[in-house]
Amino acid sequence: MGDRLNLIQQEALASIEQAKDSNVLEEIRIKYLGKKGELTQFLRGMGKLPPSERPIMGQLVNKTRRSIESALTRKNEAIERESLIKRLKDETIDVTLPGEKPQLGGLHPLTKVLNKITDIFFGMGFNVAEGPEVELDYYNFEALNIPKNHPARDTQDTFYINENVLLRTHTSPAQIRVMEQQQPPIKIIVPGRVYRSDAVDATHSPIFYQIEGLVIDKNITMGDLKGVLDIFIKRMFGERTRTRFRPHHFPFTEPSAEMDANCTACEGRGCRICSNTGWIEILGAGMVHPKVLEYGNIDPNDYTGFAFGMGLDRITNLVYGIDDIRLLYENDIRFLRQF
Amino acid sequence: MVTERGRIMLVPIKWLKEYVDFDITAEKLSEAMTLTGSNAEGISELGKDIHNVLVGRILDVAVHPNADKLVVCKVDIGDKILQVVTGAPNVKVGQLVPVAIDGALLPGGTRIKSGKLRGELSQGMLCSFQELRLDEYGEIDNGVDGIYVVDQEYLPGTDIKDALELSDEVIEFEITPNRPDCLSMLGIAREAAVTMGTRYRFPEILVKEISEKAEDVVRVIIEEPEMCFRYCARVVRDVKIEPSPRWMRRRLAAAGVRAINNIVDITNYCMLELGQPMHAFDLDKVADRTIIVRKAQKGETLITLDEQKRILTEDMLVIADPEKAIAMAGVMGGLNTEVTGETRDIILESAMFEGGNVRLTSKALGLRSEASSRFEKGIDIVNVERAIDRAAELIVKLGAGTVLEGKVDVSTLPLENRIIKVEWKRINSLLGLELEPCYISSILESLSFKNEIKGDWLEVIVPSFRLDVEGVVDLAEEVARIYGYDKIPMTLMEGSASKAMRTREQTLTDKAKNVLVAMGLFESITYSFVSPRVYEKIGFDIQDYPKSVIISNPLGEDQSAMRTTMIPSLLEVLSKNRNRSADECKIFEIGNVFTVDPENANGLPLEKLSLGIGKYGNRVDFYKLKGQVEVLLDAFGLLKEAEFIVSAHPSLHPGRTAMVKVEDQKLGIIGEVHPDICRNYGLDSGALIAELDFTLLLDIAKTEKYYTHLPKYPSVARDLAIVADKDILAADIETVIHQVGGSLLNEVKLFDIYEGKQIPQGKRSLAYSLSYLSMDRTLQDKDINPIHNKIIDALQTRFNAQLRK
Ligand SMILES: [Zn+2]
């Protein structure tokens, strides 16, 4: 009997070994372990054995069964793995083919640079305010210490709607509007669209963007003005950028200054971008004129402040190396896609 | 901040050295002066384009063997004798002429090389007036055809630039409008001296006068003391009009002024030197030899020196004699008293007119002169006298006439010192410095501000040429610029912790832009003015035109109206890109639109933010655009409330236009652009636009979010397909489904639209997926079936819709 059992086991294991797919394995399982399978038959035949041999034989049969079962499982796993490997191989794709991109649009370069500037000033505690683009003469000129008949009012530069209403020529009118609404401390920037009646060329546009800054508090000094703007420039153009302040004139600040940053393109050696000076003019600034504080109902004996104004277009052009301001307003999609 | 364009002052270095000694280069000087407030824009080098041109003496002139019109000259250039062939008809032995030797450079970039001319060796070229462009140096062209003949004796071999004094450097300063005093050599000399820490000097003026007295010859009456503060007149007899000497012509030319004749040149020279405009009248033509400064009479006319007939108004100031106007005060002289070749005697005028009036007059006449722009900005009352004396001195020196004793000097303004008192500590506290008062005092002293420290106070006498200095802040700037802006230490103001944050509007605007960008749109930024005719182009009827804000002085008619809608801006951008063959373009812009606001008493228009979306291309259609608008509304918490209502708009396709409404407020429109309008913009493949009132959107956005519990029980989905007339709106069907569905109907999604086979003509099939949900139990068929059937019934009765099986 034992020999018989051995034979069945050998036969079974050999055919499992040779099986090529899971169907064959299933047939093998039925042949040996099924209801009418050989091992089952064998078990049934055990009734003929004397009772004393049955337990031993039973153990033997179970052992054989387990060995066939585990061989079946092993083979099944092996076949599945093989077919998985084959499937994975069949599924291989050319991963170097282009991806299917969802379409992403883009912000205008002016907006991108403005966002960066705004973030820098937020970091220094400046809020962002706004003012109207169509403005009263009073705010644009008079309250900024530019009285009637002042040369800066030349109609050649200003678009007028009527005698009292104009398109703001700078963001500075917001200085007065903020002072009227808020007592010091004041710490704001005012970005916005401004208008100058300049004919269009590579460096002039009748519409452009400015960012005004205003700080008013007790004991504000020109050193503070320099400190704040120097930090701004370093955050904007890199920590190695240096600034230079030159005396200048604005009717609404005194002392007034223009600030240059050293040219990062040539590291100050002189190149086309900086017209060989090594410096690039970035902004105008100064200590708020006492008359302007008075127009804003702030007592110049108690408070001082500084203001600055910069051209966003100019800074954007510097950041991206754009050499023609007209590109910013043409909205050529090939241009817009570059940012 | 507006930077006013400054005025240019050209400063020749050789001339500047007459007033201040220095040996640093022009470049160094201009750098240093830029940092003390005189902005140097550049340096030009005179004579740079002439090189290796020497003075040569013609020793021999021989006939050219091979050419009739040429001669062969032997020219002594000092160290050797050259043979030069020339065609000039005026060469003579003994002449001193400019010789461009081998390797020489001439203006315009011409290089001279030795070579043969018709077989004869020519070792250079003899130069004419034009070839050396001597007119640019104020030299007089004697009109002789041929070689320029040097009229003074020089050693052969002398560089022509030395002989004719051509070399110089000229610094171009941009003078800010608050410093008219620097529009003069004297003013620049003062600044240069302070910058270099030295002193400047002004030559003492000595006028040789004859005994006849000016006051016996001429009378001056100022009738308008508010408009003329000082008037000085001198009388010059026996005037000889001739060219002024070379040194003066050189200086004028280098400073950008054309030499005319000695009298004109002297007045110009004094104006450049001292900043004081001057004028000369022909004495014999001034009736009664009386100068009257008065207002013009209505309708009075004057032909000015530029031969234009000017019609005057009563607010203009004129210089007149008892019979007639003879000059526009401070602007331009009259032709009736012009100094000419026949003039024997002249009256010299040096005056101070009120700037505002000069400005108005010159603007009204459209006549801006060197003089008028100086009066406008303000001149130095002390210089009025100094300049006329200087002119008189030069007239004598140049032999241009004899000067009568004294002058008539009428002033209407007391010539007293302006004193300001300031706390010197405030200078330090404004600048963030701790300068000693004596140091502050010495800086001001060096700038001609006499001053005295009295305890905490500083008493300062403001010099007459510094009209711009009024108070402590002005003095602070004077101190700071000389001390050096660079040396002010950088600090950060102290203060309470930062309170900065984005406002709701700023946050939402950023969000809107980011959402639109994420959906594939590019941000555009366009001009806010448009042509008033643009409304026809976008299909508006005249009566539909919104009331535009009109620019009274636009760059052109087509940029004269502030936009009232974003539509033309969007279409313009699409059109431009289409013209450049971009196959697709999807853009948005958030910007202001403007409409006249009759409610606003101060005259300002209504400024509202508008959001525009525009696109054309292959994969664009109404529903994609609508989907994007819906996503945006969702981001603003408004999708549930938003309705898209069938609508009409003059720029849009009548069957493809929807108005966007939120809670009964009109938010905007969306649609396909009308084919006619597309044609107007060259958008042959069609386009889509949306315009939303972004100010309103910011206002009504619902940004607060609250958590709702996640459902514990599963939702049950039921499909519902109906066939209904095509013109029944999906929105109406959905409204009914929602109404009938009640609170258990959680979501309605349209997942299929079908027309065609199996569907009767004029009808369409709409398939919805309805999702039922209860928060407190699992829904059973018995809960859902009655509702679902009621929905089907309602659709049947309301729309005659049939259930599709
Ligand atoms: Zn550079």
Side-chain angles (χ1 to χ4, degrees):
Chain A
M1 288 287 282
D3 291 348
R4 176 81 201 291
L5 205 56
N6 240 336
L7 203 67
I8 294 173
Q9 183 176 343
Q10 274 171 25
E11 237 181 63
L13 293 179
S15 53
I16 288 170
E17 193 52 43
Q18 279 162 23
K20 287 276 182 276
D21 59 47
S22 49
N23 293 337
V24 177
L25 281 179
E26 182 61 11
E27 280 165 23
I28 294 170
R29 194 188 62 79
I30 293 166
K31 186 178 172 202
Y32 293 97
L33 306 179
K35 275 179 191 157
K36 291 174 184 169
E38 288 187 31
L39 216 55
T40 318
Q41 302 282 359
F42 190 85
L43 214 55
R44 283 194 193 127
M46 258 173 42
K48 294 166 191 163
L49 286 176
S52 59
E53 284 180 28
R54 282 182 201 163
I56 301 160
M57 214 44 165
Q59 274 176 13
L60 271 175
V61 172
N62 276 337
K63 202 180 148 204
T64 307
R65 178 184 202 93
R66 278 199 300 274
S67 125
I68 294 173
E69 270 174 354
S70 72
L72 276 170
T73 311
R74 275 201 310 277
K75 186 65 182 182
N76 231 330
E77 276 171 5
I79 286 171
E80 265 172 28
R81 177 138 309 276
E82 227 166 84
S83 82
L84 180 65
I85 288 168
K86 183 174 181 299
R87 198 186 100 209
L88 293 177
K89 195 160 183 261
D90 291 347
E91 285 172 358
T92 299
I93 55 167
D94 180 354
V95 296
T96 65
L97 287 174
E100 274 177 45
K101 293 184 267 301
Q103 270 194 328
L104 185 63
L107 292 176
H108 195 280
L110 286 169
T111 303
K112 293 196 131 183
V113 173
L114 174 60
N115 286 347
K116 181 170 180 185
I117 294 173
T118 310
D119 281 344
I120 294 170
F121 282 104
F122 268 129
M124 290 194 277
F126 286 69
N127 271 307
V128 177
E130 266 152 48
E133 291 174 27
V134 182
E135 184 54 284
L136 294 174
D137 179 281
Y138 172 79
Y139 288 107
N140 197 76
F141 289 130
E142 198 144 339
L144 291 169
N145 196 24
I146 310 173
K148 291 247 187 297
N149 286 327
H150 191 284
R153 282 174 167 245
D154 237 317
T155 43
Q156 296 198 343
D157 297 326
T158 310
F159 288 119
Y160 283 95
I161 305 301
N162 58 45
E163 208 188 329
N164 299 316
V165 180
L166 44 74
L167 303 186
R168 67 175 172 193
T169 57
H170 47 178
T171 40
S172 309
Q175 289 189 22
I176 305 292
R177 286 184 174 273
V178 169
M179 287 185 232
E180 283 180 349
Q181 286 160 16
Q182 189 188 339
Q183 274 300 302
I186 292 172
K187 220 172 160 189
I188 52 148
I189 58 167
V190 188
R193 185 179 277 225
V194 301
Y195 301 80
R196 300 283 286 280
S197 81
D198 273 328
V200 184
D201 63 27
T203 53
H204 294 93
S205 166
I207 290 178
F208 56 100
Y209 281 81
Q210 274 192 338
I211 302 161
E212 190 82 3
L214 179 69
V215 173
I216 299 172
D217 203 347
K218 293 193 157 64
N219 305 320
I220 297 293
T221 71
M222 197 159 167
D224 298 333
L225 177 159
K226 284 183 66 182
V228 164
L229 292 176
D230 189 68
I231 286 189
F232 161 67
I233 286 299
K234 287 186 161 55
R235 297 284 183 278
M236 191 69 210
F237 294 106
E239 292 300 318
R240 287 171 56 207
T241 317
R242 284 174 295 116
T243 52
R244 178 177 87 163
F245 291 80
R246 286 181 282 108
H248 199 71
H249 169 72
F250 302 103
F252 38 92
T253 52
E254 189 79 20
S256 302
E258 271 191 336
M259 187 190 76
D260 303 331
N262 72 318
C263 177
T264 44
C266 64
E267 305 256 312
R269 282 187 300 274
C271 67
R272 195 181 52 84
I273 295 169
C274 57
S275 6
N276 284 315
T277 61
W279 294 98
I280 294 176
E281 192 183 307
I282 302 284
L283 54 79
M287 303 305 291
V288 181
H289 199 289
K291 286 184 190 166
V292 174
L293 291 173
E294 277 167 8
Y295 272 111
N297 294 322
I298 290 173
D299 188 343
N301 292 310
D302 293 341
Y303 291 99
T304 51
F306 65 82
F308 56 88
M310 63 184 110
L312 177 61
D313 305 64
R314 188 174 161 68
I315 293 176
T316 301
N317 287 356
L318 280 174
V319 167
Y320 293 114
I322 300 166
D323 52 9
D324 191 330
I325 193 173
R326 285 171 290 202
L327 286 166
L328 295 175
Y329 300 98
E330 268 169 19
N331 301 290
D332 188 319
I333 198 78
R334 294 166 300 179
F335 173 80
L336 296 177
R337 279 197 186 112
Q338 294 183 22
F339 303 97
Chain B
M1 299 193 137
V2 183
T3 301
E4 293 162 52
R5 287 175 204 105
R7 280 203 33 160
I8 298 302
M9 173 77 194
L10 296 174
V11 177
I13 291 292
K14 281 183 180 166
W15 190 356
L16 182 61
K17 285 187 171 172
E18 189 172 322
Y19 317 107
V20 55
D21 295 323
F22 60 95
D23 41 24
I24 60 173
T25 62
E27 202 184 335
K28 282 268 178 299
L29 178 66
S30 60
E31 273 174 29
M33 287 189 68
T34 295
L35 293 179
T36 57
S38 308
N39 191 25
E41 288 281 290
I43 302 169
S44 49
E45 219 180 300
L46 302 185
K48 185 177 64 177
D49 51 3
I50 299 176
H51 183 63
N52 269 343
V53 180
L54 309 178
V55 175
R57 186 179 301 283
I58 298 183
L59 302 178
D60 182 48
V61 181
V63 180
H64 191 294
N66 308 322
D68 293 348
K69 291 195 171 146
L70 297 179
V71 288
V72 181
C73 307
K74 293 273 187 287
V75 188
D76 175 8
I77 58 159
D79 56 348
K80 57 186 157 213
I81 291 166
L82 301 181
Q83 172 170 306
V84 180
V85 177
T86 181
N90 65 331
V91 279
K92 285 198 193 84
V93 172
Q95 280 172 336
L96 285 177
V97 296
V99 191
I101 62 172
D102 185 44
L105 179 70
L106 294 183
T110 317
R111 287 227 167 252
I112 304 301
K113 289 252 176 306
S114 269
K116 286 200 168 161
L117 239 102
R118 306 285 296 269
E120 286 297 309
L121 178 69
S122 183
Q123 297 166 292
M125 189 181 99
L126 307 185
C127 305
S128 67
F129 183 90
Q130 287 82 8
E131 276 157 347
L132 293 174
R133 298 201 184 157
L134 293 176
D135 52 331
E136 290 176 8
Y137 302 86
E139 197 54 49
I140 300 158
D141 185 359
N142 54 14
V144 174
D145 186 18
I147 299 308
Y148 179 75
V149 181
V150 180
D151 56 1
Q152 274 170 295
E153 197 54 38
Y154 293 101
L155 277 179
T158 309
D159 192 313
I160 193 79
K161 291 196 282 186
D162 295 337
L164 298 181
E165 296 170 57
L166 302 182
S167 302
D168 202 351
E169 283 170 301
V170 180
I171 305 181
E172 185 183 321
F173 286 103
E174 195 191 347
I175 306 299
T176 53
N178 60 322
R179 293 300 305 275
D181 61 304
C182 287
L183 289 169
S184 67
M185 291 304 296
L186 177 63
I188 293 290
R190 266 192 302 247
E191 288 293 323
V194 179
T195 301
M196 293 183 286
T198 106
R199 301 201 157 271
Y200 74 96
R201 60 181 174 267
F202 190 78
E204 200 186 336
I205 301 169
L206 293 166
V207 190
K208 266 201 221 145
E209 298 170 335
I210 57 170
S211 58
E212 187 183 2
K213 287 194 166 67
E215 60 187 37
D216 296 339
V217 178
V218 65
R219 270 203 315 152
V220 173
I221 301 161
I222 300 178
E223 287 185 359
E224 297 294 336
E226 302 288 303
M227 291 184 181
C228 177
F229 305 127
R230 190 173 189 186
Y231 197 107
C232 288
R234 271 186 177 273
V235 178
V236 181
R237 289 214 186 271
D238 304 321
V239 166
K240 275 202 299 286
I241 303 290
E242 57 185 19
S244 41
R246 176 172 286 158
W247 65 265
M248 184 176 277
R249 292 198 311 264
R250 284 287 178 282
R251 286 182 175 186
L252 290 173
V257 173
R258 205 161 58 90
I260 312 275
N261 62 46
N262 50 0
I263 296 297
V264 176
D265 291 355
I266 285 169
T267 57
N268 281 335
Y269 186 86
C270 291
M271 179 173 72
L272 290 172
E273 187 177 49
L274 292 161
Q276 171 67 45
M278 264 185 284
H279 186 65
F281 299 98
D282 187 326
L283 177 71
D284 291 339
K285 295 176 192 160
V286 175
D288 208 17
R289 297 174 172 191
T290 299
I291 297 278
I292 305 166
V293 185
R294 62 160 169 87
K295 281 188 181 173
Q297 285 143 14
K298 198 176 173 192
E300 192 171 5
T301 59
L302 175 68
I303 298 170
T304 40
L305 284 174
D306 55 3
E307 292 175 29
Q308 299 289 311
K309 183 175 179 179
R310 311 284 175 175
I311 297 157
L312 312 182
T313 56
E314 285 162 298
D315 48 6
M316 295 174 176
L317 192 69
V318 293
I319 310 300
D321 63 23
E323 293 166 3
K324 60 190 182 291
I326 57 174
M328 300 305 306
V331 181
M332 191 176 271
L335 204 58
N336 53 13
T337 46
E338 189 190 15
V339 176
T340 64
E342 277 82 57
T343 301
R344 288 187 304 139
D345 305 327
I346 59 173
I347 303 173
L348 266 184
E349 166 199 285
S350 178
M352 182 177 185
F353 301 111
E354 195 270 315
N357 183 268
V358 171
R359 181 178 151 81
L360 286 178
T361 304
S362 84
K363 236 170 95 177
L365 296 178
L367 179 58
R368 298 204 74 184
S369 63
E370 189 72 25
S372 73
S373 76
R374 285 168 192 271
F375 284 119
E376 279 175 31
K377 293 191 170 69
I379 56 163
D380 177 3
I381 198 161
V382 172
N383 262 349
V384 173
E385 184 183 5
R386 175 144 65 158
I388 203 167
D389 290 347
R390 177 70 165 147
E393 178 189 34
L394 287 169
I395 284 170
V396 176
K397 217 178 233 173
L398 268 51
T402 49
V403 174
L404 269 54
E405 189 191 316
K407 59 191 154 275
V408 181
D409 183 355
V410 185
S411 29
T412 63
L413 209 64
L415 296 178
E416 57 193 25
N417 288 328
R418 208 150 51 85
I419 297 173
I420 49 182
K421 270 173 145 181
V422 302
E423 277 179 286
W424 56 263
K425 279 181 187 143
R426 288 196 63 192
I427 293 177
N428 276 333
S429 65
L430 189 67
L431 300 177
L433 291 173
E434 286 173 7
L435 305 176
E436 294 295 327
C438 57
Y439 184 65
I440 292 175
S441 166
S442 72
I443 287 181
L444 292 173
E445 188 75 44
S446 73
L447 287 163
S448 316
F449 291 79
K450 298 235 179 320
N451 66 84
E452 200 178 334
I453 305 162
K454 292 181 173 169
D456 287 346
W457 293 86
L458 195 62
E459 250 183 52
V460 182
I461 300 174
V462 181
S464 58
F465 54 85
R466 290 303 302 273
L467 300 171
D468 60 310
V469 174
E470 295 174 338
V472 63
V473 291
D474 304 301
L475 293 175
E477 180 173 87
E478 295 304 303
V479 171
R481 70 187 181 91
I482 302 306
Y483 175 71
Y485 276 20
D486 285 0
K487 287 193 232 154
I488 297 174
M490 291 183 190
T491 50
L492 286 178
M493 56 271 185
E494 299 153 16
S496 50
S498 154
K499 282 177 284 188
M501 65 175 288
R502 286 186 165 76
T503 61
R504 171 189 149 91
E505 287 75 19
Q506 287 153 8
T507 309
L508 285 173
T509 305
D510 283 356
K511 181 175 189 174
K513 287 186 178 182
N514 289 334
V515 166
L516 293 165
V517 165
M519 291 190 293
L521 296 161
F522 287 89
E523 185 188 14
S524 61
I525 293 181
T526 56
Y527 285 179
S528 22
F529 29 63
V530 294
S531 164
R533 283 187 306 273
V534 85
Y535 295 108
E536 291 153 45
K537 208 175 167 188
I538 61 168
F540 281 46
D541 272 337
I542 286 178
Q543 60 265 35
D544 297 341
Y545 287 10
K547 261 231 163 228
S548 293
V549 177
I550 301 294
I551 300 167
S552 67
N553 58 335
L555 282 178
E557 160 79 9
D558 59 341
Q559 295 186 329
S560 63
M562 299 302 283
R563 65 183 173 198
T564 58
T565 157
M566 199 61 100
I567 294 174
S569 306
L570 296 167
L571 290 174
E572 202 61 52
V573 172
L574 295 183
S575 169
K576 267 194 237 160
N577 279 288
R578 184 72 208 143
N579 276 340
R580 289 167 184 160
S581 317
D583 47 9
E584 65 166 37
C585 182
K586 303 170 180 175
I587 48 130
F588 75 94
E589 177 166 358
I590 296 177
N592 275 324
V593 293
F594 308 81
T595 41
V596 171
D597 183 6
E599 313 268 290
N600 195 340
N602 65 17
L604 290 184
L606 192 64
E607 272 183 53
K608 276 209 296 193
L609 284 169
S610 169
L611 161 65
I613 302 176
K615 46 191 192 168
Y616 71 77
N618 279 331
R619 288 168 296 173
V620 305
D621 63 38
F622 179 89
Y623 297 110
K624 288 208 178 79
L625 176 59
K626 182 177 170 185
Q628 289 175 331
V629 171
E630 286 173 319
V631 167
L632 183 73
L633 292 171
D634 200 11
F636 276 60
L638 297 172
L639 185 57
K640 282 227 171 75
E641 292 83 349
E643 285 179 275
F644 290 79
I645 296 165
V646 175
S647 187
H649 185 281
S651 308
L652 300 177
H653 189 305
R656 297 183 174 185
T657 301
M659 183 206 285
V660 188
K661 270 176 99 171
V662 174
E663 288 169 349
D664 288 334
Q665 300 192 80
K666 190 189 165 194
L667 192 58
I669 50 105
I670 159 176
E672 203 172 296
V673 180
H674 195 289
D676 286 345
I677 312 303
C678 280
R679 198 173 320 112
N680 293 344
Y681 282 91
L683 292 163
D684 46 2
S685 56
L688 290 140
I689 52 173
E691 181 175 33
L692 303 182
D693 181 338
F694 198 67
T695 300
L696 177 61
L697 197 58
L698 292 175
D699 194 34
I700 62 177
K702 293 186 176 148
T703 49
E704 285 85 21
K705 304 263 181 184
Y706 296 102
Y707 162 71
T708 32
H709 285 283
L710 300 179
K712 287 188 193 124
Y713 306 95
S715 65
V716 179
R718 289 285 177 85
D719 287 356
L720 171 66
I722 56 163
V723 177
D725 283 351
K726 256 168 76 172
D727 55 7
I728 293 171
L729 299 175
D732 294 342
I733 292 172
E734 275 180 46
T735 307
V736 168
I737 295 177
H738 275 291
Q739 275 167 4
V740 180
S743 61
L744 291 182
L745 180 60
N746 184 45
E747 202 177 14
V748 178
K749 258 192 211 157
L750 179 72
F751 68 89
D752 188 46
I753 309 166
Y754 178 75
E755 291 172 42
K757 267 188 207 163
Q758 300 159 342
I759 304 293
Q761 194 78 25
K763 291 185 184 283
R764 60 177 175 174
S765 149
L766 298 167
Y768 289 94
S769 164
L770 277 54
S771 153
Y772 295 92
L773 177 71
S774 164
M775 295 306 281
D776 50 23
R777 66 201 147 104
T778 301
L779 292 175
Q780 308 292 329
D781 279 356
K782 66 176 167 49
D783 299 316
I784 296 166
N785 287 346
I787 304 173
H788 203 71
N789 291 334
K790 251 164 82 183
I791 292 173
I792 295 166
D793 289 348
L795 293 177
Q796 202 152 25
T797 44
R798 292 283 296 276
F799 304 118
N800 194 24
Q802 304 301 316
L803 197 63
R804 189 173 175 221
K805 305 235 165 62

